Amino acid sequence: MSEIAPAEPWRIREVGAPDEEDGALLQGESIFALANGHIGMRANLEEPHPGGMPGTFLNSLYEERDLEYPEEGFGFPEVTQTIVNGPNGKRISLEVGGEPFDLRTGEVRRHERVLDLRAGTLVREVEWVSPAGVPVSLRTERLVSFPRPSVAAIRYTVRADARLRVNSDLVVDEDLPPPREDDPRASAILQDPFAPVSHDDDVLIHRTRRSGLLVAAAVTHTGAEGSVTTEPDLIRWTATGEGEITFDKFLAYRWDGALPAPGRDEVLADRDAAARDGFDTLLAEQRAYLDDFWEGADVEVDGDPEIQQAVRFGLFHVLQAGAQAGPHPIPAKGLTGNGYDGHTLWDTESFVLRMLTYTHPGCVGPALRWRHSTLGAARERARQLGMDGAAFPWRTITGPECSGYWPAGTAALHVNADIADAVLRYHAATGDDDFMREAGDEILTDTARLWQSVAYFDDDGTAHIAGVTGPDEYTALMDDNIYTNLMAQRNLRALGPDRLADCLSIPYDKGRGVHEQAAGFTRLPEWDFTAGHEFPLMLHHHYLNLYRKQVVKQADLVLAMVVRGDAFTLEEKRRNFAYYEARTVRDSSLSAPIQAVMAAELGHLSLAHDYLAEAALLDLRRGGESGGDGLHIAACAGAWIALVMGFGGMRDHDGELSFGPRLAPRLRRLAFRLRWRGTRLRITLTRDSVTYAADGDDITFRHEGREVTVRGGEEVTYAVDPIEDVPAPDSPRPPQHHTIAA
Amino acid sequence: MSEIAPAEPWRIREVGAPDEEDGALLQGESIFALANGHIGMRANLEEPHPGGMPGTFLNSLYEERDLEYPEEGFGFPEVTQTIVNGPNGKRISLEVGGEPFDLRTGEVRRHERVLDLRAGTLVREVEWVSPAGVPVSLRTERLVSFPRPSVAAIRYTVRADARLRVNSDLVVDEDLPPPREDDPRASAILQDPFAPVSHDDDVLIHRTRRSGLLVAAAVTHTGAEGSVTTEPDLIRWTATGEGEITFDKFLAYRWDGALPAPGRDEVLADRDAAARDGFDTLLAEQRAYLDDFWEGADVEVDGDPEIQQAVRFGLFHVLQAGAQAGPHPIPAKGLTGNGYDGHTLWDTESFVLRMLTYTHPGCVGPALRWRHSTLGAARERARQLGMDGAAFPWRTITGPECSGYWPAGTAALHVNADIADAVLRYHAATGDDDFMREAGDEILTDTARLWQSVAYFDDDGTAHIAGVTGPDEYTALMDDNIYTNLMAQRNLRALGPDRLADCLSIPYDKGRGVHEQAAGFTRLPEWDFTAGHEFPLMLHHHYLNLYRKQVVKQADLVLAMVVRGDAFTLEEKRRNFAYYEARTVRDSSLSAPIQAVMAAELGHLSLAHDYLAEAALLDLRRGGESGGDGLHIAACAGAWIALVMGFGGMRDHDGELSFGPRLAPRLRRLAFRLRWRGTRLRITLTRDSVTYAADGDDITFRHEGREVTVRGGEEVTYAVDPIEDVPAPDSPRPPQHHTIAA
């Protein structure tokens, strides 16, 4: 039995040995995963342990597999891409006096793992007594180097009053557990994706059997003497000793696509540089890199230690997923698991890049350049769909559509506007004109062309987009999804005044005085919430039943009111929010952060706090299966979004920065930083004031609707009137009340 | 190279050996298939021949197979049912002087096959010269006995001036060609579905491996001496002779579900009775059965020999599919092929039973009792879909939903109203109150309950059915499909005055002055027909593209105007027909017969004739792949529908019989008979008159809107004013002009 220790501001600490029965083993593998955007290492225990899910993910190192349909259709993707478990250098097995070190035997006296968010390391400390009664002390420390994209390293120390034997492996195609059958979101796990190309004592080279990608992995050990044996799928370094064995293990990876030139010489050079500089140097570099990150991205939350920890945990994992993007995308699960097959979806642009644009914009240009690199596939897909321009995929690794259920995949054309929006946001925040010239403008043009070819004019001059699916996956193939239309409008207007954008229908129900999520939505039958339901509804109800009723999986119109808040009056927002809260079940992790933002804007401050907690603590605190196949990276970014856009009231409509701060009553202080065109703006919000401090050039923005300029190096403070905490509207599934730990 | 000979009124004659290259082999196997509703024998050549598709279909003898989805969803069927190729007693191989008889070798001097629609037999005559130069004369004659549901027989005669050897087999799990990959409509073909249970010289008993159905097949030969060898999957009777071998082969089948008690004794008794009575007796019985059928069902078409032949061909195959229904359904392909996996779809009730109700109603009660026997599965399915009452499946063999693409399957709720409509029609036409009490009423109640639970009231008191798919499969998940709503209305009103029925929305576009196929349909973007298209569009365009545009696969609103013609004025029909003709591509074989009917009603008589020809000649004349995996049984009924409801103007709205006859200018005379509550009504239509003759009781109906009573045994004649042949409205794919052979 393991537990996550009470919140500490900069560390995630697990106490006790993780159990596979309650999901803690798998969940812990995700929570404590290390990654640098290129290489991801799930926090598998060093020693072999059944029930875990081995994971060494090399970004975009995928295998292909056929998609089979009971009934085929034109343009249904025939092949999908699945992230594979790459060569695993984490595996280190240990014998103590001839007995295997295994937590399931003997006695675990102490087991602790610590993810250090400033050090960027995972430390494991174990006190264990072998079945024969030998006390053993084990310490491992891992890092996946941010500044050295191809390098990971492990420091290993074992002490026991016995004969010790360590087998430290680099292993390819290790055995994996069978895939889960019961959940559509679980991914296919490919057994044995690799064919050996070459092997020696230092380097294994393999090729994925079908996608044909080369991967080279090198390993070496320092600090102890050992002997090496090699097989096509294994380099095994064996050390023996009495009383203590200590060593450092250095790993280097190169592979097609992400870190090219996957040859023996290149990967050996990376490995040798790391080994020569040594583990302590890697540690120092790692901390320096993270110091810089935190300087730009940190959020301070006084009054709620759990949220304080969680938002940093989220920021850290977003960085781990998004650092050094460009040659590859940022997957929905980062590199922490094989959920969603390792695919990237729209939440990368809409959630993850939203946060990174203002905290670590150096990742964002490259991430959007990756999208640009897939334009060819998106144009081809548009042709196939009978559209002009580009149709970006619902889910993919390298660009082609990999969605096997088109009504909630390909039909979600809004992904194109989401990408365009991320381009506009990035450019507004950074002024990166090179990016626009080289990639951004073309994305804007091709996505706009899509809308021009899809939309059509009605007799009365209104324009419509028919038969598409918005963010809410419990409603599909409707006309004039309001989020899609508003985002398409923004996309079109990015190229100048646009008649189509001006004419796009924004459906509104006059009788009820609310906007319609899509044309006719508010006239659909209501879902019967009195019947009692297990969530998520999609696992218990047919889409035919869900689609034709007013039940909302996730913020859709509410998301539109956040990101296109300029299109709604405050009164409209209030009425719409109340209406859709009563029909939204949050069966998607993308929902709560957005509902938090709108709740905060409308003064439902406690509700906002509860939604924030739901988003921020999703993977960190919940038991069960959540996050076992990888963390929800968008929800990690969602904690930041809920705090900064919710309580900070930050908006960026039409490239203009604005704030409307309102602190939750349960918090004392919220401080965050944003980067805006080279200037670092530090915002500190207390119960009665807000201070804006500018590091760099002068910066202009709106505070509560008023234009404000803060000079570089100066700060201004405004009084904030306390606002009443407006009671939450009715909801069929109110968020859990978030209690602040004493 | 084979050809279908010029039309003969009562025979289908093929001249030449069928070639596999041009599809004639497979298509001929369907065209010349024999069946009695229980047992179906594709017209495979007796001797082994690659390229054919062996088919001995025992109605509802199916195997199960898993349906795999790229992305699972709640309530997606996990298992489907597939008709299997049963024990084949057609295979008879021949050696002439040690050389195998094989049309691909030697010289075919004459090859002719004749399907005799009055005799109910298939005769094959071959003159062949072996590679060694020996002339061989072969004649086979097959029948599948209508009066003896478990029996089939073959008479075989070969003559040659050589040593002859015949191997006459009953073979199980013969080799099948691989399934076609390129067409979603092709079915899965299961290899080796049978596990042997017992075998001896007379009977093979097998069990399907997964569905667990027992089948017993018996064989015997008379008229020649032979020896029998037996294996678990084979009974082989071998006869040798000099100059001539002649024998009769008798087969009997019993299997779980359809012809129960599949034991050795039962099947031997069936076989022995047939062998004892002899082949000539079977022939005589067969002709007597068919004489009776034709007496009730024949349609005479003077002036168009091709149509004359085709409509009888269609009637014959509908009888072969539907005779003795009840323990099992009438599949969409009858028992002529494994297309659609042998499933039954809505066209059975809407097309096939429509014809049989008025021509051979003895089949219809049992066919609807079969539906009633699946009520349990349909109720369970309704529960699963969150609905009350019963939700009958889109496609099935024994009742469970087998559709693997729900937007064009399960979402087509209209199938429930179609079944209810067939119940009402059958009862109105026959007065079979026992059926209603025992089955019909319950079907009406449970289908009505479905609509009550699915429909909902709008603020203004209008009722709606949201998010369903109508007959047109190029439009899906729309609100208020007009066909669905009108049929649901009829369904609801069958139980008495109904507020919901009165309030159901019938969408109408005031601006365009036409009804909408579904709410908002006429405001969708137009399909660009100028671009040039390959048909069917579904094989070249994504559903996302098709669904959101005004392109119609098959009559939907036009079908509503035929079967619910009472809900439209003539002027509305005219405007609607012109509008939808311009948007309908007829990518379904269910389309042309309905368009023919409406074209005739509106005076587009040449167009009606062309659509009639398209429907009637679909499987009989077209080359290519059409019908290779089985005939389109609904289109077979469609020829009758086009003639009787089109030129005969027959309608049955609300259980009232009416006629509005209008002969196509290219025809001289049309005569048909209908059975109405025990009376046989014979209608003879010439260019200037129509005669109604009643055999039996007095009969009352409407002629051109006027109520008419014809006394039993009498006839009345009315002058028919010639009407102008109105030019066809624009169509993106006008039917081929049908030229009448000299």
Side-chain angles (χ1 to χ4, degrees):
Chain A
M1 280 286 292
S2 67
E3 284 184 355
I4 302 286
E8 300 175 40
W10 288 104
R11 311 197 310 169
I12 317 297
R13 190 157 59 91
E14 179 196 47
V15 179
D19 195 352
E20 65 184 275
E21 298 304 317
D22 61 356
L25 183 70
L26 286 171
Q27 204 179 357
E29 287 174 358
S30 301
I31 290 173
F32 295 102
L34 293 177
N36 63 6
H38 288 283
I39 303 168
M41 286 189 173
R42 272 173 77 80
N44 307 113
L45 303 178
E46 282 79 13
E47 69 280 7
H49 191 92
M53 172 59 69
T56 299
F57 299 113
L58 306 178
N59 199 328
S60 296
L61 186 68
Y62 68 92
E63 184 53 304
E64 294 173 343
R65 66 183 168 84
D66 289 332
L67 291 179
E68 304 285 353
Y69 302 84
E71 298 182 24
E72 297 279 343
F74 175 84
F76 287 11
E78 293 171 10
V79 175
T80 190
Q81 305 174 328
T82 302
I83 194 83
V84 293
N85 177 35
N88 178 10
K90 302 185 301 292
R91 193 168 81 181
I92 304 171
S93 52
L94 166 66
E95 279 177 28
V96 178
E99 289 182 301
F101 170 70
D102 186 330
L103 299 180
R104 295 165 303 161
T105 67
E107 183 196 349
V108 180
R109 289 205 174 148
R110 175 168 172 264
H111 193 288
E112 187 170 287
R113 294 195 287 183
V114 172
L115 179 68
D116 188 313
L117 306 175
R118 280 184 296 199
T121 56
L122 175 65
V123 173
R124 178 188 184 199
E125 292 179 341
V126 188
E127 302 293 335
W128 178 74
V129 181
S130 77
V134 183
V136 179
S137 175
L138 174 70
R139 183 181 191 280
T140 68
E141 184 170 12
R142 290 184 193 168
L143 65 79
V144 178
S145 173
F146 282 108
R148 304 188 191 221
S150 64
V151 169
I154 302 171
R155 172 163 283 175
Y156 189 97
T157 303
V158 58
R159 291 194 187 85
D161 193 8
R163 180 83 187 151
L164 297 170
R165 181 189 181 87
V166 164
N167 285 330
S168 175
D169 297 342
L170 177 66
V171 58
V172 177
D173 283 343
E174 61 196 310
D175 285 342
L176 300 179
R180 288 156 59 195
E181 290 279 0
D182 57 329
D183 188 328
R185 299 163 298 186
S187 66
I189 293 156
L190 293 169
Q191 295 284 356
D192 301 337
F194 292 106
V197 173
S198 74
H199 64 284
D200 57 42
D201 286 359
D202 299 291
V203 178
L204 297 180
I205 301 185
H206 284 73
R207 191 186 290 282
T208 51
R209 293 178 193 275
R210 181 163 168 185
S211 56
L213 301 175
L214 266 186
V215 55
V219 63
T220 192
H221 298 76
T222 64
E225 289 301 310
S227 61
V228 174
T229 55
T230 305
E231 299 169 20
D233 285 346
L234 179 69
I235 297 175
R236 170 162 290 178
W237 177 85
T238 302
T240 55
E242 199 80 39
E244 174 173 342
I245 298 179
T246 287
F247 62 91
D248 294 336
K249 180 177 189 176
F250 298 90
L251 296 156
Y253 295 94
R254 284 180 174 257
W255 63 99
D256 277 333
L259 286 171
R264 190 172 185 283
D265 293 349
E266 291 79 3
V267 77
L268 273 181
D270 293 346
R271 180 199 74 170
D272 291 345
R276 187 179 58 240
D277 296 340
F279 197 84
D280 291 331
T281 299
L282 296 185
L283 282 175
E285 289 173 357
Q286 188 84 335
R287 182 171 288 269
Y289 183 98
L290 282 163
D291 283 349
D292 181 61
F293 170 72
W294 291 116
E295 175 62 26
D298 190 30
V299 176
E300 294 162 73
V301 184
D302 289 359
D304 192 336
E306 237 183 335
I307 296 294
Q308 172 66 80
Q309 181 192 52
V311 66
R312 287 184 176 138
F313 171 77
L315 284 162
F316 179 77
H317 271 294
V318 169
L319 177 70
Q320 290 206 125
Q324 301 149 329
H328 47 61
I330 304 175
K333 298 286 193 178
L335 298 168
T336 66
N338 58 9
Y340 296 115
D341 278 325
H343 291 161
T344 293
L345 294 96
W346 70 292
D347 30 324
T348 292
E349 274 81 2
S350 296
F351 289 75
V352 177
L353 295 192
R354 191 177 300 276
M355 183 206 106
L356 286 171
T357 294
Y358 298 109
T359 54
H360 203 62
C363 298
V364 179
L368 291 170
R369 284 177 191 267
W370 170 80
R371 274 291 187 194
H372 181 260
S373 76
T374 68
L375 249 182
R379 284 172 177 153
E380 175 57 32
R381 182 66 173 163
R383 274 335 69 74
Q384 202 173 33
L385 299 175
M387 302 168 186
D388 297 339
F392 286 101
W394 177 246
R395 50 192 295 177
T396 193
I397 292 179
T398 67
E401 176 65 272
C402 292
S403 169
Y405 177 65
W406 75 266
T410 294
L413 293 184
H414 67 80
V415 65
N416 295 285
D418 300 330
I419 292 167
D421 188 43
V423 165
L424 291 168
R425 183 193 316 125
Y426 172 70
H427 185 236
T430 63
D432 185 347
D433 294 329
D434 288 348
F435 161 76
M436 291 304 285
R437 202 166 39 247
E438 292 159 17
D441 286 337
E442 208 172 9
I443 291 176
L444 294 180
T445 308
D446 270 36
T447 47
R449 289 188 63 210
L450 181 92
W451 303 119
Q452 281 152 357
S453 74
V454 165
Y456 63 100
F457 281 88
D458 198 350
D459 303 340
D460 64 3
T462 313
H464 303 277
I465 297 174
V468 300
T469 302
D472 169 26
E473 292 171 38
Y474 288 172
T475 310
L477 305 187
M478 297 276 281
D479 299 344
D480 292 325
N481 171 258
I482 198 166
Y483 174 83
T484 305
N485 284 17
L486 284 170
M487 294 300 284
Q489 198 178 60
R490 177 149 212 241
N491 194 167
L492 289 160
R493 285 179 178 156
L495 304 176
D498 188 277
R499 177 169 161 257
L500 172 58
D502 295 345
C503 297
L504 271 174
S505 174
I506 308 302
Y508 186 76
D509 180 337
K510 281 185 192 154
R512 288 170 186 77
V514 295
H515 283 90
E516 296 175 303
Q517 182 179 298
F521 180 83
T522 55
R523 291 189 301 272
L524 292 177
E526 299 282 1
W527 188 262
D528 178 12
F529 286 111
T530 64
H533 292 287
E534 286 185 80
F535 298 99
L537 294 181
M538 61 185 289
L539 296 186
H540 307 281
H541 300 276
H542 197 284
Y543 290 132
L544 176 59
N545 193 15
L546 292 165
Y547 286 0
R548 62 190 181 78
K549 292 187 180 160
Q550 288 192 56
V551 56
V552 179
K553 184 180 181 192
Q554 65 202 93
D556 184 309
L557 185 142
V558 171
L559 177 60
M561 294 198 300
V562 169
V563 298
R564 282 300 316 276
D566 54 317
F568 299 84
T569 68
L570 189 64
E571 181 53 26
E572 285 171 348
K573 288 176 184 172
R574 200 180 308 280
R575 296 173 67 106
N576 288 342
F577 187 68
Y579 188 89
Y580 287 92
E581 279 292 284
R583 288 155 182 87
T584 300
V585 295
R586 293 194 319 289
D587 281 346
S588 162
S589 62
L590 303 182
S591 203
I594 300 305
Q595 287 169 278
V597 173
M598 188 45 53
E601 178 172 344
L602 298 174
H604 307 293
L605 297 178
S606 290
L607 179 65
H609 200 149
D610 292 341
Y611 278 141
L612 158 66
E614 180 171 304
L617 304 176
L618 174 71
D619 288 320
L620 198 48
R621 285 291 180 274
R622 276 196 191 161
E625 293 186 359
S626 179
D629 61 357
L631 300 179
H632 301 80
I633 299 301
C636 290
W640 181 92
I641 289 171
L643 282 165
V644 172
M645 299 184 68
F647 298 134
M650 189 276 262
R651 295 291 186 280
D652 55 7
H653 302 318
D654 286 325
E656 191 184 65
L657 197 60
S658 65
F659 299 90
R662 54 207 63 209
L663 200 62
R666 288 176 257 168
L667 297 183
R668 285 195 301 273
R669 177 178 162 275
L670 170 66
F672 56 93
R673 310 106 203 265
L674 302 177
R675 187 175 280 280
W676 183 264
R677 295 189 171 245
T679 295
R680 180 157 295 154
L681 183 64
R682 288 182 287 109
I683 296 95
T684 305
L685 178 60
T686 66
R687 282 182 184 152
D688 51 13
S689 72
V690 59
T691 300
Y692 301 95
D695 299 342
D697 295 338
D698 299 356
I699 180 169
T700 299
F701 54 90
R702 287 185 183 274
H703 165 72
E704 297 290 4
R706 198 154 43 110
E707 191 169 290
V708 171
T709 298
V710 180
R711 303 214 164 275
E714 297 186 1
E715 63 179 49
V716 295
T717 297
Y718 297 95
V720 171
D721 293 334
I723 64 165
E724 198 189 348
D725 183 7
V726 185
D730 284 344
S731 162
R733 195 188 185 188
Q736 200 183 330
H737 178 72
H738 174 62
T739 309
I740 295 175
Chain B
M1 281 287 292
S2 67
E3 285 184 353
I4 302 286
E8 300 175 40
W10 287 103
R11 311 198 311 168
I12 317 297
R13 191 157 58 91
E14 178 196 49
V15 179
D19 196 353
E20 65 184 275
E21 299 303 318
D22 61 357
L25 182 70
L26 287 171
Q27 204 180 356
E29 287 174 358
S30 300
I31 289 173
F32 295 102
L34 293 178
N36 63 5
H38 287 284
I39 303 167
M41 285 189 173
R42 273 173 75 80
N44 306 114
L45 303 178
E46 282 79 14
E47 69 280 7
H49 190 95
M53 172 60 69
T56 298
F57 300 112
L58 306 178
N59 200 329
S60 296
L61 185 69
Y62 68 92
E63 184 54 305
E64 294 173 343
R65 65 184 168 83
D66 289 333
L67 291 178
E68 305 284 354
Y69 302 85
E71 299 183 25
E72 297 279 343
F74 175 84
F76 287 11
E78 292 171 10
V79 175
T80 190
Q81 305 174 327
T82 302
I83 193 84
V84 294
N85 177 35
N88 178 10
K90 302 184 302 292
R91 194 168 81 181
I92 303 172
S93 52
L94 166 66
E95 279 178 26
V96 178
E99 289 181 300
F101 171 70
D102 186 330
L103 299 181
R104 296 166 302 162
T105 66
E107 182 195 349
V108 179
R109 290 207 173 145
R110 175 167 171 264
H111 194 288
E112 187 170 287
R113 292 196 288 183
V114 172
L115 179 68
D116 188 313
L117 305 177
R118 279 184 297 199
T121 56
L122 175 65
V123 173
R124 178 189 184 199
E125 293 179 341
V126 188
E127 301 292 336
W128 178 74
V129 181
S130 76
V134 182
V136 178
S137 173
L138 174 69
R139 183 181 191 280
T140 68
E141 184 170 12
R142 287 185 195 169
L143 65 80
V144 177
S145 173
F146 281 108
R148 305 188 190 220
S150 64
V151 169
I154 302 172
R155 172 162 283 176
Y156 190 97
T157 303
V158 58
R159 291 193 187 86
D161 194 7
R163 180 83 186 151
L164 298 169
R165 180 190 182 88
V166 164
N167 284 331
S168 175
D169 296 342
L170 177 66
V171 59
V172 177
D173 282 344
E174 62 197 310
D175 284 343
L176 300 179
R180 288 155 59 195
E181 290 278 1
D182 58 327
D183 188 329
R185 298 163 298 184
S187 66
I189 293 155
L190 293 169
Q191 295 285 355
D192 301 337
F194 292 105
V197 173
S198 74
H199 64 285
D200 57 42
D201 285 359
D202 299 291
V203 178
L204 297 180
I205 301 185
H206 284 74
R207 193 188 288 281
T208 51
R209 293 178 193 275
R210 182 164 167 186
S211 55
L213 301 175
L214 267 186
V215 55
V219 63
T220 191
H221 298 75
T222 64
E225 289 301 310
S227 60
V228 174
T229 55
T230 305
E231 299 170 20
D233 285 346
L234 179 70
I235 297 175
R236 170 163 290 179
W237 177 85
T238 302
T240 55
E242 198 80 39
E244 173 173 342
I245 298 179
T246 286
F247 62 90
D248 295 337
K249 180 176 189 176
F250 298 91
L251 296 157
Y253 296 93
R254 282 180 175 257
W255 63 101
D256 276 334
L259 287 170
R264 190 172 185 281
D265 294 347
E266 290 80 3
V267 78
L268 273 181
D270 294 346
R271 180 200 74 168
D272 291 345
R276 188 179 58 239
D277 295 340
F279 197 83
D280 290 332
T281 299
L282 296 185
L283 282 176
E285 289 172 358
Q286 188 85 336
R287 182 170 289 267
Y289 183 98
L290 282 164
D291 284 349
D292 181 62
F293 171 71
W294 290 118
E295 176 61 26
D298 190 30
V299 177
E300 294 160 73
V301 184
D302 289 359
D304 193 334
E306 235 183 337
I307 296 294
Q308 172 64 80
Q309 182 193 51
V311 66
R312 286 185 176 137
F313 172 79
L315 284 162
F316 180 78
H317 270 295
V318 169
L319 177 70
Q320 291 207 123
Q324 302 149 329
H328 46 62
I330 304 176
K333 298 286 192 178
L335 299 168
T336 66
N338 58 8
Y340 295 117
D341 278 325
H343 291 161
T344 293
L345 294 97
W346 70 292
D347 30 324
T348 291
E349 274 80 2
S350 296
F351 288 75
V352 176
L353 295 191
R354 191 178 300 277
M355 184 206 106
L356 287 171
T357 295
Y358 298 109
T359 54
H360 202 64
C363 297
V364 179
L368 291 170
R369 284 177 192 267
W370 170 80
R371 274 289 187 195
H372 180 259
S373 76
T374 68
L375 249 182
R379 285 173 177 151
E380 175 57 33
R381 181 66 172 163
R383 275 336 68 74
Q384 203 174 33
L385 299 175
M387 302 168 186
D388 296 339
F392 285 101
W394 177 246
R395 50 192 296 178
T396 192
I397 291 179
T398 67
E401 176 65 271
C402 293
S403 169
Y405 177 64
W406 75 267
T410 294
L413 293 183
H414 67 82
V415 65
N416 296 285
D418 300 329
I419 292 167
D421 188 42
V423 165
L424 292 168
R425 185 193 314 125
Y426 170 71
H427 185 236
T430 63
D432 185 347
D433 294 329
D434 288 348
F435 161 77
M436 291 304 285
R437 203 166 39 246
E438 291 159 18
D441 286 339
E442 209 172 8
I443 291 176
L444 293 181
T445 308
D446 270 35
T447 48
R449 288 188 64 209
L450 180 94
W451 302 119
Q452 281 152 358
S453 74
V454 165
Y456 63 100
F457 282 88
D458 198 350
D459 303 340
D460 63 4
T462 313
H464 303 276
I465 297 173
V468 299
T469 301
D472 170 26
E473 292 172 37
Y474 287 172
T475 309
L477 305 187
M478 298 276 282
D479 299 345
D480 291 325
N481 170 257
I482 197 166
Y483 175 84
T484 305
N485 285 18
L486 284 170
M487 295 300 284
Q489 199 178 59
R490 177 147 213 242
N491 194 168
L492 289 160
R493 286 179 178 157
L495 304 176
D498 189 277
R499 177 171 160 255
L500 172 57
D502 296 343
C503 297
L504 271 174
S505 173
I506 308 300
Y508 186 77
D509 180 336
K510 282 184 192 154
R512 288 170 186 76
V514 295
H515 282 89
E516 296 174 305
Q517 181 177 301
F521 180 82
T522 56
R523 293 189 299 272
L524 292 177
E526 300 281 2
W527 188 262
D528 178 12
F529 286 112
T530 64
H533 291 289
E534 285 185 81
F535 298 99
L537 294 180
M538 60 185 289
L539 296 187
H540 307 280
H541 300 276
H542 198 284
Y543 290 131
L544 177 59
N545 193 15
L546 291 165
Y547 286 0
R548 62 189 181 79
K549 292 187 180 161
Q550 288 192 57
V551 56
V552 179
K553 184 180 179 191
Q554 66 203 92
D556 184 309
L557 185 141
V558 171
L559 176 60
M561 293 198 301
V562 169
V563 299
R564 282 300 317 275
D566 54 318
F568 300 84
T569 67
L570 189 63
E571 181 53 27
E572 285 171 349
K573 289 177 184 171
R574 200 180 307 282
R575 296 174 67 105
N576 287 343
F577 188 68
Y579 188 88
Y580 286 93
E581 279 292 285
R583 288 154 182 87
T584 301
V585 295
R586 292 193 321 288
D587 280 346
S588 162
S589 62
L590 303 182
S591 203
I594 300 305
Q595 287 168 279
V597 173
M598 189 44 55
E601 178 171 345
L602 298 174
H604 307 292
L605 297 177
S606 291
L607 179 65
H609 200 151
D610 293 341
Y611 278 142
L612 158 66
E614 180 172 303
L617 304 176
L618 174 70
D619 287 321
L620 198 48
R621 287 289 181 273
R622 274 195 190 162
E625 293 186 358
S626 179
D629 61 358
L631 300 179
H632 301 78
I633 299 301
C636 289
W640 182 92
I641 288 170
L643 282 166
V644 172
M645 299 184 67
F647 298 134
M650 189 274 262
R651 294 291 185 281
D652 55 7
H653 301 319
D654 285 326
E656 192 184 63
L657 197 60
S658 65
F659 298 91
R662 54 207 65 211
L663 199 61
R666 287 175 258 168
L667 297 182
R668 285 195 301 273
R669 178 176 161 277
L670 171 66
F672 57 93
R673 310 108 203 266
L674 302 178
R675 187 175 280 279
W676 183 262
R677 296 188 171 244
T679 295
R680 181 157 294 154
L681 183 64
R682 287 181 286 110
I683 296 95
T684 305
L685 179 59
T686 66
R687 282 185 184 149
D688 51 14
S689 72
V690 58
T691 300
Y692 301 95
D695 300 341
D697 295 338
D698 299 356
I699 180 169
T700 300
F701 55 88
R702 287 185 184 273
H703 165 74
E704 297 290 3
R706 199 155 40 110
E707 190 169 291
V708 170
T709 298
V710 181
R711 304 214 164 277
E714 297 186 2
E715 63 178 47
V716 294
T717 297
Y718 298 95
V720 170
D721 293 335
I723 64 164
E724 198 189 349
D725 183 5
V726 185
D730 284 345
S731 162
R733 195 187 184 189
Q736 201 183 328
H737 177 72
H738 173 61
T739 309
I740 295 176

